Amino acid sequence: MDKLVIRGGKKLKGAVHISGAKNAALPVIASTLLAPGGSIIRNVPNLRDVSTIGRLLTNFGAEFSYKRGNAAINTKRIKTLEAPYDLVRTMRASVLVLGPLLARFGQAKVSLPGGCAIGARPINLHLMGLEKMGADIKLESGYIIARGKRLEGTSIYLDIPTVTGTENIMMAATLAKGETLIENAAREPEVVDLANALVAMGAKIEGAGGSIIRIEGVDEMKPLEYSVIPDRIEAGTFMAIAGITGSDITIQGCRNEHMDATILKFQDAGLVFENVTGGIRVTGPTRPRASDVKTLPYPGFPTDMQAQFMALMSIADGTSIISETIFENRFMHVAELRRMGADITIEGGTATVKGIPMLKSAPLMATDLRASASLIVAALASRGETVIHRLYHLDRGYEKIEKKLRGIGADIKRVKK
Ligand code: EPU
């Protein structure tokens, strides 16, 4: 397995370009199943998760090819409606094909995603929404078997504003008969991006980005050409890197309006932001200030930035309290940060981080996607050489991260095995 070798302590300077958002690209790619024909999706990051969804579509009989940020998909001929366990277990977001398949073909068989490193992650709300629209859903031998001729619009209240749940229901509702209301919908920019893509395919959707989304079903959807939004979590990760290394990094192509909570928290920690043409320039402080943070659904502080923020806080001046409210097991990075000398204690969903002046290098193991990112953040500021093992997760979500970091002066290399 590949590993990353990082010699920390260097000041970084220069510009990085932000890739397309993984969590926008995946649902938009899944949505192409709603309409027969050829679609082109642009600004798609070159990631393992993108090739997994490509394999899933190919498995259904669709054509999928990817070249330099463009995914070309043709969903005219679909020969099977089954998403097999082997693909779903490598990427939970595979469940995003459920809504579109059911809506277009009246049936789908999708492996039930299991739990993952960060939590149990049930999909009961996805299934409840589809059932309320008239689908007959059974769980058999680890598979969701969904049937329903034409789904019918209805009002659906989500107990939790689930991101992929909102997306699945919204996609299914585009082809339903009548109007669907999703109440307490997720408000993430990726949900809005998917809604924009669906509208470009002919859907009638209002209110995405707010808590109530109204979808008026149409009889058919058409293929689309669409460019996905930049990745706000990748951008936030580079902000954390600027903060922890006291560097001057210009982040190009990100959408600042998607990052209010993240930027405000980083400002609280002493980072300085300046809008420049095409991006935002971030300057890290000599030493970050402690700042408390609580993860919340958008527009709150994103759970996907919690691990990177904690890495920053581990060398802050003072003590910060970090509360994780979205996933029950998203502190896997803490044990690794502690191995670098960080002073962090956990009680339930709350971590108390007492900042120390400097982290020390250590061999580390990446446990999930954002935990991997936090270890890179920490390693770039630590004394000595850090080796990060198990890059599998990182490659699911960060495009060419070591190349981007080398471009701004980091001493980082990937050792292939
Ligand atoms: N939940 C339920 N029932 C459901 C659905 C969700 O109880 O039917 C719970 C989950 O267990 C969790 C909370 O609701 O405690 C929120 O989960 P949500 O469904 O919003 O998460 P998700 O849709 O599975 C997406 C992102 C995640 C991101 C979360 C939260 C994609 C493909 N994934 O997951 O991204 O952390 O929203 O913002 O969009 C990542 O990129 O590293 C990542 C994990």
Side-chain angles (χ1 to χ4, degrees), residues 4 20 49 67 70 85 91 105 114 141 155 204 225 229 243 310 314 323-324 346 355 405:
L4 276 183
D49 274 6
K67 208 169 171 186
N70 298 321
Y85 176 66
M91 185 184 72
F105 300 99
S141 313
S155 291
K204 293 187 179 157
E225 192 168 335
I229 53 171
M310 191 184 295
S314 68
S323 311
E324 171 59 55
I346 305 175
L405 281 167

Side-chain angles (χ1 to χ4, degrees), residues 183-199:
E183 307 214 23
N184 199 28
R187 301 173 58 191
E188 271 66 6
E190 294 75 19
V191 173
V192 179
D193 205 38
L194 172 64
N196 289 339
L198 293 170
V199 167

Side-chain angles (χ1 to χ4, degrees), residues 148-204:
K149 272 207 179 100
R150 186 172 182 192
L151 299 175
E152 296 213 3
T154 182
S155 291
I156 297 165
Y157 171 79
L158 300 175
D159 288 326
I160 301 171
T162 156
V163 175
T164 48
T166 303
E167 292 168 345
N168 237 336
I169 295 167
M170 184 164 71
M171 287 189 278
T174 57
L175 286 174
K177 187 162 171 278
E179 182 182 273
T180 302
L181 278 185
I182 310 178
E183 307 214 23
N184 199 28
R187 301 173 58 191
E188 271 66 6
E190 294 75 19
V191 173
V192 179
D193 205 38
L194 172 64
N196 289 339
L198 293 170
V199 167
M201 295 174 82
K204 293 187 179 157

Side-chain angles (χ1 to χ4, degrees), residues 22-23 121-125 162-164 304 326-327 370:
K22 163 180 88 73
N23 290 347
R121 304 184 74 181
I123 57 156
N124 57 310
L125 299 171
T162 156
V163 175
T164 48
D304 289 347
I326 308 293
F327 292 111
R370 307 304 170 187

Side-chain angles (χ1 to χ4, degrees), residues 3-51:
K3 54 190 182 183
L4 276 183
V5 180
I6 300 173
R7 292 194 73 83
K10 287 185 78 176
K11 291 257 184 278
L12 312 177
K13 191 164 174 57
V16 283
H17 188 82
I18 296 307
S19 301
K22 163 180 88 73
N23 290 347
L26 296 174
V28 171
I29 291 172
S31 77
T32 62
L33 286 166
L34 285 162
S39 292
I40 306 278
I41 316 296
R42 305 195 189 283
N43 202 29
V44 174
N46 188 1
L47 301 172
R48 191 188 295 256
D49 274 6
V50 167
S51 52

